[in-house]
């Protein structure tokens, strides 16, 4: 058996197949959409379990995009392998989230400065207290700068990374709202914890797809194809990070 850590059970590629920055949507179809819409000379570098990964160039900079699947266990696997086995330095989650605040509306972009969680992902580190998963400051600052250049309506603060989509207590999410948590999604905290452990950089930016407060919502097709401003922010961030 080879002593190389790749290919892994989840990524059939080599380190040179990936750029230093990987955009990571949850949905494989969104990964394909980003690659075909924005990247030049995009090539498929992974399709294990239907989780498509592509590498191409954007504004002359090599960028990769690969789906994470849904939930912290799934992004926990893919981000861990990319950080630790494939020499990736930066992972930017580009996903959807549900607003918990009345002033945050559908299609607004939220930057996860921090990510609360209601699961046990951090227990594996056996820390003598509670760790706060946070974004990398350089990635966060760079992405906000790109959002401002594009004139995008955005918010910065805490996300909730939830293990539960169909909650037995529908009001659970709103309990986080009283602490100022902006929106709920399902992956950011695991990404931030893996990045911290590997000494790498992680950032989650999400487009609001629905509101738990106003009950506004978008369709699945809109989530796949229309959240282009968020994608452009992440891609421009990848270009700027390559200069640092």
């Amino acid at each position: 058996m080879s002593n190389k850590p790749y290919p892994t059970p989840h990524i059939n590629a080599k380190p040179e197949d990936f750029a230093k920055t990987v955009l990571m949507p949850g949905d494989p179809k969104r990964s394909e959409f980003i690659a075909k819409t924005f990247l030049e000379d995009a090539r498929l570098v992974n399709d294990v379990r239907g989780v498509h990964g592509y590498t191409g160039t954007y504004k002359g900079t090599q960028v990769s995009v690969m789906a994470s699947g849904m939930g912290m266990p799934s992004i926990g696997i893919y981000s861990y392998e990319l950080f630790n086995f494939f020499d990736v330095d930066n992972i930017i989650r580009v996903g959807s989230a549900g607003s918990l605040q009345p002033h945050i509306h559908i299609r607004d972009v939220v930057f996860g400065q921090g990510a609360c969680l209601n699961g046990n992902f951090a227990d594996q580190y056996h820390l003598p207290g509670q760790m706060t998963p946070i974004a990398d400051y350089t990635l966060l600052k760079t992405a906000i700068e790109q959002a401002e250049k594009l004139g995008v309506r955005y918010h910065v603060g805490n996300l909730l990374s939830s293990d539960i989509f169909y909650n037995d207590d529908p009001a659970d999410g709103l309990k986080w709202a009283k602490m100022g948590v902006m929106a709920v999604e399902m992956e950011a905290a695991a990404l931030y914890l893996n990045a911290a452990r590997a000494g790498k950089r992680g950032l989650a930016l999400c487009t609001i797809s629905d509101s738990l407060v106003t009950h506004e919502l978008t369709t699945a097709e809109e989530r796949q194809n229309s959240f282009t401003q968020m994608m452009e922010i992440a891609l421009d961030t990848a270009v700027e990070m390559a200069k640092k």
Side-chain angles (χ1 to χ4, degrees):
M1 180 180 293
S2 170
N3 60 4
K4 296 178 181 178
Y6 51 85
T8 70
H10 311 95
I11 302 175
N12 185 19
K14 303 180 293 297
E16 55 265 31
D17 291 325
F18 287 100
K20 290 299 184 182
T21 298
V22 176
L23 274 59
M24 187 159 273
D27 186 349
K29 289 185 178 180
R30 194 177 298 162
S31 175
E32 181 181 28
F33 174 82
I34 294 171
K36 291 184 176 180
T37 304
F38 295 103
L39 300 186
E40 294 183 5
D41 302 319
R43 61 188 180 92
L44 186 69
V45 295
N46 182 66
D47 63 355
V48 177
R49 297 172 181 256
V51 176
H52 296 161
Y54 300 86
T55 295
T57 58
Y58 178 77
K59 296 182 179 179
T61 297
Q62 189 178 58
V63 180
S64 295
V65 54
M66 191 174 82
S68 71
M70 293 176 62
M72 284 184 274
S74 188
I75 197 172
I77 289 170
Y78 291 107
S79 61
Y80 184 95
E81 293 185 0
L82 289 172
F83 281 142
N84 292 285
F85 303 147
F86 293 94
D87 297 333
V88 170
D89 291 334
N90 314 298
I91 296 178
I92 304 173
R93 164 164 158 67
V94 283
S96 56
S99 173
L100 297 174
Q101 301 293 338
H103 66 283
I104 299 178
H105 300 288
I106 59 171
R107 297 187 180 86
D108 286 1
V109 173
V110 290
F111 293 88
Q113 184 176 17
C116 309
L117 67 163
N118 60 11
N120 300 317
F121 193 90
D123 288 2
Q124 63 182 300
Y125 304 114
H126 303 292
L127 299 169
Q130 295 182 349
M131 177 155 180
T132 303
I134 61 171
D136 174 79
Y137 177 75
T138 300
L139 270 182
L140 176 62
K141 180 174 182 290
T142 304
I144 290 171
E145 290 170 350
Q146 307 318 305
E148 291 181 345
K149 289 178 182 178
L150 291 169
V152 174
R153 178 180 164 90
Y154 70 89
H155 311 268
V156 182
N158 258 333
L159 301 173
L160 168 63
S161 295
S162 178
D163 274 346
I164 306 165
F165 189 86
Y166 295 108
N167 198 316
D168 194 56
D169 182 356
D172 235 23
L174 297 177
K175 295 173 185 176
W176 292 91
K178 67 183 179 183
M179 301 304 294
V181 174
M182 300 185 300
V184 58
E185 51 85 67
M186 303 186 75
E187 289 86 22
L191 171 61
Y192 290 0
L193 289 165
N194 273 349
R197 184 67 180 91
K200 302 294 183 73
R201 298 185 176 104
L203 173 66
L205 56 144
C206 298
T207 299
I208 297 299
S209 59
D210 61 285
S211 172
L212 280 71
V213 181
T214 67
H215 307 295
E216 300 171 281
L217 55 85
T218 56
T219 66
E221 183 178 359
E222 287 174 323
R223 289 194 294 274
Q224 179 184 327
N225 296 326
S226 70
F227 293 174
T228 55
Q229 287 184 321
M230 168 184 64
M231 299 168 188
E232 289 174 10
I233 292 168
L235 288 162
D236 287 340
T237 300
V239 171
E240 291 302 313
M241 292 301 296
K243 300 175 184 177
K244 298 183 184 296

